[in-house]
Amino acid sequence: MMKYSFILLSGETEGFLEKLQELGVVDVTRSAKPVDEQSAKMLDDAASAKRIILKLEGINYEKDADKDAIAQAAKNAILDENISEGVQKAFVELMELEMARTAAEKEVRLRLPWGEFDKSRLDSLGTLGYTVRYYMVPAKKFSADWAQLYPLEIISQDKANVWFVTVCPKGEEYAFPVDPVNAPEGSWKQAQSEVDSLDEKIIALKGTILRYKELLPEFEQTYRKGLVDLDMYLARTATESAADNLLSVLEGFAPVENDGMLCQAFDQMGVLYIREDAKEEDNPPVRLKNNRFVKMFESLTGMYGMPDYGEYDPTPVVSIFFLLFFAMCLGDAGYGLVLILVGLAISKGWLRISMFDGIGGLIATLGAATAVIGGALGTFFGMSIINLVPEGTGVHSYYEFVGSDIPTPMGELPFQMLLALGIGVFHICLAMIIKAVGYTKRFGFKENISTWGWLILIVGGLIVALLGVGKLLSAEAIKWAVIVIGAVSALAIYIFNTPGRNPLINVGAGLWDTYNMATGILGDVLSYIRLFALGLAGGMLGAAFNDLGLMVLGDGGIGWVFFIVILLIGHVLNLLMSCLGAFVHPLRLNFVEYFKNSGYEGKGKAYKPLTK
């Protein structure tokens, strides 16, 4: 990045920022959050516009029973001059009307058993000295003998309940085996007319909203303009005043490849500026440069935080290991094929799922990796591939080995568990190597002697151990290698970890680091068992649904229908749950175990130039 410092007359600031917008490559140093009430309101307005867009995109009345009436209402709809306020008001009114309609429908259901009647005529019995009481009781509790107590008339009944009324003179002592209910406010037809009236209003309002949806491009333009205006406002407020507010000072950054074009543009504007190479202490913005494959995973890095200007970009490593971890956690070749189809459908626009817009390629890539790893580990839609391969073949022998238990000093352990732990050890060792190299480049070797000491001890010790197990080194060579590695790492960790400091303090700091490393590394490595556990759990659940389907299949016939239904529902649920775990846990292994051991901080800010 190149750093540019601009000195302007205060009156020229606005015009200069507009020209920077047109150039579209200069990231003016500014706040990423609202700085006052005005910017907070601008952000709220932009967020409101975004909510309107999402609501309008979700509007689809094609399956509505009144779709034709709604379409006709849309043609006759009259829109508010302020379309943003108008559509928000329409959504609120629609929600209120639908709530009122729900209440009106409930009232219809309550009144329907009482039939059609004139409530005023019934109430007039009170002037004649009679009281009418209303009852609803379960059918099994109703007794015909109650008619001998008072005049009783059954209004309606069904298998569950009986609705009836009694009449008795006012002032007469009254006792009845059950308690009365509230009298209906009117006939069911009166309540139904209220529902019909609300339906008409709802149809008209849906038509209005459908008409607003036709203006979706305008709402999107308003949203984009709101963000641009907010960006410009924040850039304007970031200027520093000087010389009794006569001058304004701005700072910005742009990629090195744009320097020639920008210098020519600034010279033509006649603006005073100073250019220099950006330094880490300037906290310049970061623009990641990755190939097409790695770029798909940049959003994962962004979820944690962008690298500092002098820090390495972890995305290339994250991309490879997240892909591997996802495939191992999902661990089913059949599910991988499903993800490939879903990803391709999203990429081609055949399937529209708003939350997955733009990541169809990533989904298909994860699916391809899952298909390969799932096939290598021997699972296809919950079935063991080994059962589908003839015995005595090399492929059958391979799957026998993959599913076997391996003797270890701790007893026999599943091969796939050992594989997960081995990958974890490699991942952490790679992180430590990257940390040592990256910190040395940023802060110098003198400040990272202890880091190199731990790297030599752990990585060097593992290499010697592997060479010894493979019998590639003699016992004498292993002994001297261990002595050299131990001596060098001990000096780096306990004596020279901070050159120039009291040696006793260095020893104490080294002992404390030893405790933290011993407990931390062990816990980090064990975390990778989740790669085995999640894949095993998903495979067992898929197999359980297969077994359940075979149980209901029986001899065929109608059993085939239930068999297919169980397999579809079961595997869809298993795929969804497994995908959730296969996303979260690999993310954790990268964000916690890898980032911690690689020293990644992720406190940088993304490159966001002022643009139109």
Side-chain angles (χ1 to χ4, degrees), residues 592-603:
V592 179
E593 279 72 21
Y594 175 70
F595 281 173
K596 178 180 70 174
N597 288 287
S598 67
Y600 180 69
E601 297 177 0
K603 296 180 180 179

Side-chain angles (χ1 to χ4, degrees), residues 116 201 269 334 345 358 362 377 412 433 452 458 497 590 607:
E116 174 64 16
K201 295 178 181 178
M269 296 178 198
L362 176 60
L377 297 180
E412 292 189 346
I433 294 171
W452 281 100
I458 295 175
N497 53 48
N590 280 284
Y607 169 65

Side-chain angles (χ1 to χ4, degrees), residues 287-425:
R287 185 181 66 167
L288 304 181
K289 293 182 179 180
N290 293 302
N291 58 39
R292 184 177 178 182
F293 168 75
V294 176
K295 193 174 289 293
M296 293 190 294
F297 297 86
E298 287 182 353
S299 58
L300 301 182
T301 301
M303 290 171 63
Y304 186 89
M306 299 293 285
D308 289 336
Y309 189 68
E311 199 171 19
Y312 75 99
D313 177 11
T315 312
V317 177
V318 169
S319 63
I320 295 171
F321 282 95
F322 182 85
L323 190 67
L324 174 62
F325 295 164
F326 182 95
M328 292 184 68
C329 288
L330 195 53
D332 190 295
Y335 292 167
L337 296 177
V338 173
L339 289 183
I340 292 174
L341 294 176
V342 171
L344 291 177
I346 293 174
S347 298
K348 299 295 184 181
W350 303 331
L351 178 64
R352 182 69 186 276
I353 303 176
S354 58
M355 66 183 296
F356 296 141
D357 283 349
I359 61 171
L362 176 60
I363 294 174
T365 303
L366 293 173
T370 303
V372 173
I373 298 298
L377 297 180
T379 306
F380 185 82
F381 285 114
M383 299 181 293
S384 295
I385 298 179
I386 190 173
N387 297 327
L388 308 176
V389 178
E391 294 185 13
T393 62
V395 176
H396 192 277
S397 300
Y398 163 77
Y399 283 122
E400 280 185 336
F401 174 74
V402 169
S404 64
D405 292 335
I406 307 298
T408 70
M410 297 176 289
E412 292 189 346
L413 295 176
F415 167 77
Q416 295 185 27
M417 177 188 289
L418 295 176
L419 177 64
L421 292 174
I423 291 173
V425 170

Side-chain angles (χ1 to χ4, degrees), residues 371-585:
V372 173
I373 298 298
L377 297 180
T379 306
F380 185 82
F381 285 114
M383 299 181 293
S384 295
I385 298 179
I386 190 173
N387 297 327
L388 308 176
V389 178
E391 294 185 13
T393 62
V395 176
H396 192 277
S397 300
Y398 163 77
Y399 283 122
E400 280 185 336
F401 174 74
V402 169
S404 64
D405 292 335
I406 307 298
T408 70
M410 297 176 289
E412 292 189 346
L413 295 176
F415 167 77
Q416 295 185 27
M417 177 188 289
L418 295 176
L419 177 64
L421 292 174
I423 291 173
V425 170
F426 178 79
H427 198 212
I428 291 174
C429 288
L430 178 62
M432 295 180 69
I433 294 171
I434 291 174
K435 178 180 180 180
V437 174
Y439 273 27
T440 301
K441 182 179 178 181
R442 292 178 67 190
F443 309 117
F445 177 77
K446 184 179 177 180
E447 301 296 328
N448 293 280
I449 294 177
S450 177
T451 303
W452 281 100
W454 283 112
L455 178 64
I456 293 171
L457 178 64
I458 295 175
V459 177
L462 284 172
I463 292 174
V464 171
L466 291 174
L467 292 175
V469 171
K471 297 182 179 180
L472 299 176
L473 285 179
S474 64
E476 186 69 16
I478 292 175
K479 181 183 76 172
W480 282 106
V482 170
I483 292 173
V484 171
I485 289 173
V488 173
S489 59
L491 289 172
I493 295 170
Y494 298 105
I495 305 300
F496 302 109
N497 53 48
T498 306
R501 193 168 62 176
N502 189 317
L504 293 178
I505 297 178
N506 283 352
V507 171
L511 291 173
W512 178 247
D513 285 345
T514 301
Y515 170 76
N516 290 330
M517 289 294 290
T519 55
I521 290 292
L522 179 61
D524 291 344
V525 171
L526 292 177
S527 289
Y528 288 82
I529 292 180
R530 71 188 68 227
L531 299 176
F532 162 70
L534 287 171
L536 179 64
M540 293 178 67
L541 191 56
F545 284 119
N546 291 341
D547 292 341
L548 188 60
L550 291 173
M551 288 171 60
V552 300
L553 177 60
D555 296 329
I558 190 65
W560 278 105
V561 176
F562 296 105
F563 172 75
I564 294 173
V565 170
I566 288 175
L567 289 188
L568 283 176
I569 295 177
H571 282 293
V572 167
L573 289 175
N574 191 29
L575 175 60
L576 294 176
M577 291 189 296
S578 297
C579 282
L580 180 61
F583 175 78
V584 172
H585 290 280

Side-chain angles (χ1 to χ4, degrees), residues 217-264:
E218 294 185 29
F219 287 106
E220 291 174 343
Q221 177 63 24
T222 300
Y223 170 65
R224 289 193 295 269
K225 185 177 184 302
L227 292 181
V228 170
D229 290 345
L230 174 61
D231 211 23
M232 176 68 99
Y233 182 86
L234 293 174
R236 193 183 306 119
T237 56
T239 59
E240 296 182 10
S241 298
D244 295 330
N245 295 327
L246 294 176
L247 299 178
S248 294
V249 180
L250 284 174
E251 181 184 78
F253 298 88
V256 174
E257 58 265 28
N258 298 123
D259 181 56
M261 178 270 291
L262 289 175
C263 289
Q264 183 178 357

Side-chain angles (χ1 to χ4, degrees), residues 4-30:
Y4 301 90
S5 301
F6 305 100
I7 302 175
L8 311 162
L9 293 174
S10 296
E12 297 175 345
T13 304
E14 185 73 20
F16 178 68
L17 288 175
E18 290 179 358
K19 291 177 180 177
L20 289 185
Q21 273 190 320
E22 294 175 1
L23 292 172
V25 294
V26 180
D27 186 336
V28 175
T29 302
R30 59 201 185 278

